[in-house]
Amino acid sequence: METVSSGDTLTASAYPPLALRFSGRGSEYFGIWIVNLLLTILTLGIYSAWAKVRRIRYFYRHTELANSSFDFHGSPIRILIGRLVALAMLLVYNYTVRVRSPWILLVLLVFAVVLPWLLRNSFRFRLYNTSWRNTRFHFRGSVGGAYRVFLLNGFLTLITLYLLAPFTHQRFKAYQHNNSWFGRARFSFHASAGRFYLIYLILLAAIVGFGVVIGLGGLGSTFTALGQVQRSGGHVDPRAMIRSLLLVYGALLLFGIVIGPLFHALITNLIWSNTRLENHRIECRISPWMLMWIGASNFVLVVLTVGLFTPWAAVRMTKYQAECIRLLPTSDLQEFVAAEPERVGAVGEEAASAFDFDIAL
Amino acid sequence: MVSATYFDGRSTRVHDVELSVVGQDLVVAGTGIDLRVPIAQVRIDERLGRAARRLRLPDGTCCEVRDLEALDGLLSSTAHRDGWVDRMQRHWRSVLLALVAFGVVAVGMYKWGLPWAAAVGARRLPPVFASIISTQALKTLDGGLLRKSRIAIARQRSLVAKFDGLQIPENGTPHSLLLFRASPQLGANAFTLPDGTIVLLDDLTTSIGDDSHILAVLAHELGHAHEHHGLQLLLRSSAVGAFLTFYLGDISQLLAAAPAALIQARYSQEFEQQADDYAAALLNKHGLSPGLLADDLSRLSKLRPDASGGGYLESHPPTDRRIRHLRELARTDAFRRHS
């Protein structure tokens, strides 16, 4: 997808490209996955925070660059707190929206003020807790920057009926990547908004073509109406229900198997191939076709095995995507310096403050 | 001696070192590096697959070891023991045991734990919750599947009066409202919203027979209202949905949605039986025969041949079985009434 000035400059370079290597195996991950599931169900979900840490660690520690693996240092307790806060916010939001309470404006206002700040803190949590060669990553985006990206650009996107969505996506990635650090080395982002628009146009064309073929609109509304009755405890002829369910499901499935991976591959390639760490370039070449194939075959195998194939599927997907990423180094990667100890201490303390939790549910 | 890579935490420079254990101390030795730390102060990463393990020293530096067997040998002479989760997830015997245990616990929770929790939850939830959902649902339905009823107002009034007479005040159960609607798609049908409001569709009102037959259907719906079936179903399917998202979420949100619908259909079978039993008792109290509901069912199964028949996907238990059960109740009740 992305054409980094490969060829002569690279072959002339003393430092060959370094691909990420992923050495995880489905059979190993199965043990971790099933023990995670068992303990989570036995603790009615509380263990899921610990399960998440084990899962992330398994994937990070099996991902290697230049013979050194990544590591994750997040604390399960903080993740648990993050989940509880997210759950509480979700409940408050759902409640006020459903009741159409006069408080809704206040709640929305509080959300608008709090969410950008929470998202920024969640980036910080994730990066600060990621390390390579005992050196941590950092996210130093300002709160003001988060408000600009999430509130201002988000608002502009809404009032322009999503015409600005690709632009907002670009601003968001620029905020995220331009403020990321590895030790004292800074990442930078170079993809223009124009290139985001190009990919969104491809997405739009694919969706329109797809929508015309399937005629999803009419089908979708019958389905929601039927679902509504069923959920309210009414009796609907179950066969009609299942027929429309299968149709909608089939349409969604095709969508998820074809258009999802296409967009994901194009946008991921664009984003990572235009991200640099100081003057080390990154190159990402995920093939949409491979992604579709892995996604579709994973889907079939997971269904056939009643879910038991899940760990193999997750490993396959991660391995393929990770190994599509290469670093084009301009050094032997030995010179990265960790942020100053006192600086780390300060960041560490901040990171440990009660609000620096992981918000991903 | 175990070879390792040492990182001082100040830069990404790679230092090759050798690890050894002397007494209860870990010794790290390499060019310009000579450290000796009590093993109790070293944080040793758990084993995860074949990933390199890190030994974290108290000063923030760390050693990465790739040769896991050699490291185990080195640690075996120390007081270090792997954690139980760590051991559990890497021995095939305990993994197999975890798989079986997970299956047993999941099935047990689905069969007993969840129905129990949903029943308790549905009773305990503040009534405002059910009324919010019901208002919302009715609004959506009125905008889509439902039309205005064509039943004359006078007839509606008389049915409402009879319906109100049917209801017996019970602790905790709100008085149910009766609404009239029409729906070409849903045909001869009636349903209950989570707050107990019952919606009676025109096709059923006109085709089911006399008022006592309509009352029998309403008694069945009152059973759903009394047992909070709508809320129970909602709670059960949310829990099943959350679980499936967790179980399959690694792979596909979409995949997690499908089984939820099938599971829901299975669950509601027992609710129909409960509502039938409730209706039979209620009709009996009012001197009406449960046989009325049996008549209704057989008429409905003729009106909607598509909806009868058995099978896993059926939201109602095989109609024949329900009819037989109700006729049996009618016989014993009649016997009781006469003796």
Side-chain angles (χ1 to χ4, degrees), chain B:
Chain B
M1 295 285 255
V2 174
S3 48
T5 319
Y6 176 80
F7 295 106
D8 59 15
R10 290 192 295 276
S11 80
T12 53
R13 183 153 299 281
V14 175
H15 303 271
D16 292 322
V17 292
E18 299 283 342
L19 303 181
S20 54
V21 168
V22 178
Q24 285 299 317
D25 288 353
L26 177 75
V27 176
V28 183
T31 342
I33 297 162
D34 187 16
L35 295 164
R36 189 173 173 139
V37 182
I39 201 94
Q41 293 178 22
V42 179
R43 282 195 299 120
I44 303 169
D45 278 357
E46 69 173 5
R47 248 173 111 137
L48 278 176
R50 283 158 304 108
R53 282 173 87 180
R54 292 187 182 85
L55 283 69
R56 299 168 204 279
L57 309 183
D59 63 352
T61 64
C62 85
C63 305
E64 265 179 43
V65 184
R66 295 182 153 267
D67 189 342
L68 302 181
E69 277 64 43
L71 181 63
D72 277 348
L74 190 75
L75 293 176
S76 65
S77 65
T78 70
H80 172 83
R81 290 292 168 267
D82 294 333
W84 62 273
V85 176
D86 180 8
R87 274 172 299 169
M88 190 171 174
Q89 58 199 6
R90 65 168 200 263
H91 294 298
W92 71 267
R93 241 185 280 252
S94 50
V95 166
L96 203 66
L97 201 70
L99 177 63
V100 172
F102 169 68
V104 169
V105 172
V107 168
M109 284 202 170
Y110 170 65
K111 278 197 99 127
W112 297 289
L114 195 51
W116 176 81
V120 172
R123 269 202 305 277
R124 293 271 169 85
L125 269 176
V128 61
F129 185 74
S131 69
I132 290 167
I133 300 171
S134 306
T135 319
Q136 187 89 13
L138 191 64
K139 204 178 278 174
T140 317
L141 288 169
D142 276 339
L145 277 178
L146 299 184
R147 307 267 174 282
K148 258 183 113 156
S149 169
R150 295 233 177 107
I151 307 284
I153 298 293
R155 172 122 172 85
Q156 288 192 16
R157 287 228 178 93
S158 94
L159 277 172
V160 167
K162 284 185 176 169
F163 171 69
D164 285 343
L166 193 65
Q167 295 193 61
I168 298 168
E170 277 162 281
N171 359 333
T173 309
H175 184 84
S176 282
L177 285 177
L178 178 60
L179 302 177
F180 292 86
R181 295 286 190 277
S183 170
Q185 287 104 315
L186 298 178
N189 229 322
F191 56 88
T192 308
L193 298 172
D195 67 350
T197 302
I198 293 169
V199 179
L200 186 60
L201 299 181
D202 286 4
D203 285 3
L204 191 128
T205 320
T206 51
S207 61
I208 205 74
D210 58 10
D211 283 4
S212 61
H213 280 103
I214 295 175
L215 282 183
V217 169
L218 294 178
H220 171 89
E221 294 302 326
L222 276 174
H224 286 313
H226 177 78
E227 307 278 346
H228 306 284
H229 284 160
L231 268 186
Q232 284 198 47
L233 208 56
L234 196 76
L235 291 174
R236 288 182 185 191
S237 52
S238 321
V240 169
F243 168 76
L244 285 171
T245 311
F246 180 66
Y247 180 55
L248 298 170
D250 265 10
I251 293 308
S252 163
Q253 299 292 325
L254 195 59
L255 203 56
L262 301 183
I263 280 165
Q264 194 174 331
R266 181 83 189 148
Y267 260 146
S268 56
Q269 291 196 8
E270 67 183 81
F271 288 166
E272 297 308 324
Q273 257 144 353
Q274 282 179 18
D276 282 350
D277 288 344
Y278 180 93
L282 188 63
L283 290 171
N284 193 35
K285 253 180 222 157
H286 289 275
L288 295 164
S289 165
L292 291 166
L293 187 55
D295 296 346
D296 292 344
L297 286 175
S298 62
R299 193 158 307 160
L300 285 175
S301 71
K302 274 176 210 119
L303 282 171
R304 295 179 288 159
D306 206 33
S308 64
Y312 184 87
L313 301 179
E314 205 56 61
S315 85
H316 292 41
T319 314
D320 293 347
R321 207 171 69 217
R322 287 174 64 195
I323 294 172
R324 239 177 308 155
H325 179 65
L326 284 165
R327 296 239 186 265
E328 228 159 80
L329 285 177
R331 261 198 304 280
T332 49
D333 287 342
F335 173 73
R336 230 180 283 141
R337 270 203 298 278
H338 290 292
S339 59

Side-chain angles (χ1 to χ4, degrees), chain A residues 23-25 28-42 44 47-48 51 54-55 57-59 61-62 64 67-73 83 95 97-100 131-135 182 222 225-226 228-240 242-243 245 249 252-253 256 298-299 302-303 305-308 310 313-314 332-339 341, chain B residues 7-14 45-46 48-52 54 56 60-62 64 66 84-86 88-90 94-95 97-99 101-102 105-106 109 128 132-133 136-137 139-141 144-145 185-186 189-194 220-221 224 230 233-234 237 243 246-248 250-252 254-259 261-262 264-265 268 272 304 306-310 313-316:
Chain A
S23 58
R25 285 185 195 173
E28 280 167 8
Y29 180 50
F30 183 84
I32 292 155
W33 177 78
I34 195 72
V35 171
N36 274 346
L37 277 175
L38 175 66
L39 295 179
T40 298
I41 198 173
L42 283 177
L44 298 175
Y47 184 81
S48 70
R54 284 215 157 80
R55 190 186 74 227
R57 280 191 179 152
Y58 182 84
F59 285 96
R61 289 183 185 171
H62 284 88
E64 287 188 359
N67 291 322
S68 298
S69 61
F70 291 82
D71 201 3
F72 181 69
H73 307 267
R83 288 189 169 179
Y95 181 79
V97 168
R98 287 217 158 172
V99 189
R100 310 248 157 102
S131 72
W132 182 73
R133 292 192 172 171
N134 205 17
T135 302
F182 174 59
T222 2
L226 284 170
Q228 193 61 255
V229 184
Q230 186 89 344
R231 244 173 290 136
S232 326
H235 323 147
V236 176
D237 172 7
R239 289 193 191 167
I242 280 156
R243 255 198 311 276
L245 195 119
Y249 197 71
L252 280 176
L253 197 63
N298 273 351
F299 187 90
V302 167
V303 169
T305 57
V306 210
L308 291 181
T310 303
D332 60 0
L333 302 182
Q334 305 246 354
E335 85 295 358
F336 289 108
V337 179
Chain B
F7 295 106
D8 59 15
R10 290 192 295 276
S11 80
T12 53
R13 183 153 299 281
V14 175
D45 278 357
E46 69 173 5
L48 278 176
R50 283 158 304 108
R54 292 187 182 85
R56 299 168 204 279
T61 64
C62 85
E64 265 179 43
R66 295 182 153 267
W84 62 273
V85 176
D86 180 8
M88 190 171 174
Q89 58 199 6
R90 65 168 200 263
S94 50
V95 166
L97 201 70
L99 177 63
F102 169 68
V105 172
M109 284 202 170
V128 61
I132 290 167
I133 300 171
Q136 187 89 13
K139 204 178 278 174
T140 317
L141 288 169
L145 277 178
Q185 287 104 315
L186 298 178
N189 229 322
F191 56 88
T192 308
L193 298 172
H220 171 89
E221 294 302 326
H224 286 313
L233 208 56
L234 196 76
S237 52
F243 168 76
F246 180 66
Y247 180 55
L248 298 170
D250 265 10
I251 293 308
S252 163
L254 195 59
L255 203 56
L262 301 183
Q264 194 174 331
S268 56
E272 297 308 324
R304 295 179 288 159
D306 206 33
S308 64
L313 301 179
E314 205 56 61
S315 85
H316 292 41

Side-chain angles (χ1 to χ4, degrees), chain A residues 76-225:
Chain A
I77 291 281
R78 211 151 290 284
I79 290 174
L80 188 65
I81 295 172
R83 288 189 169 179
L84 291 177
V85 169
L87 189 69
M89 289 175 66
L90 210 67
L91 286 179
V92 168
Y93 176 78
N94 268 333
Y95 181 79
T96 39
V97 168
R98 287 217 158 172
V99 189
R100 310 248 157 102
S101 116
W103 293 99
I104 187 156
L105 277 178
L106 184 72
V107 168
L108 284 179
L109 196 71
V110 169
F111 268 65
V113 171
V114 168
L115 269 182
W117 178 70
L118 277 180
L119 285 168
R120 165 190 170 265
N121 283 359
S122 118
F123 295 155
R124 251 173 48 161
F125 179 85
R126 193 58 181 257
L127 275 195
Y128 181 70
N129 285 307
T130 301
S131 72
W132 182 73
R133 292 192 172 171
N134 205 17
T135 302
R136 295 210 183 195
F137 289 78
H138 300 273
F139 180 76
R140 302 221 170 94
S142 68
V143 180
Y147 282 124
R148 234 182 350 264
V149 168
F150 294 116
L151 279 192
L152 186 65
N153 286 324
F155 179 68
L156 289 177
T157 307
L158 274 182
I159 60 167
T160 56
L161 303 172
Y162 290 92
L163 275 179
L164 280 186
F167 172 71
T168 299
H169 196 170
Q170 193 267 350
R171 292 317 304 153
F172 165 58
K173 279 295 157 188
Y175 168 73
Q176 207 183 11
H177 286 201
N178 282 329
N179 289 303
S180 295
W181 300 69
F182 174 59
R184 284 192 212 161
R186 189 172 189 168
F187 283 90
S188 57
F189 189 65
H190 304 272
S192 67
R195 308 193 59 178
F196 276 79
Y197 271 97
L198 192 65
I199 291 173
Y200 272 81
L201 275 179
I202 297 174
L203 173 72
L204 190 67
I207 291 176
V208 168
F210 200 76
V212 168
V213 173
I214 304 286
L216 195 71
L219 200 63
S221 58
T222 2
F223 172 67
T224 18

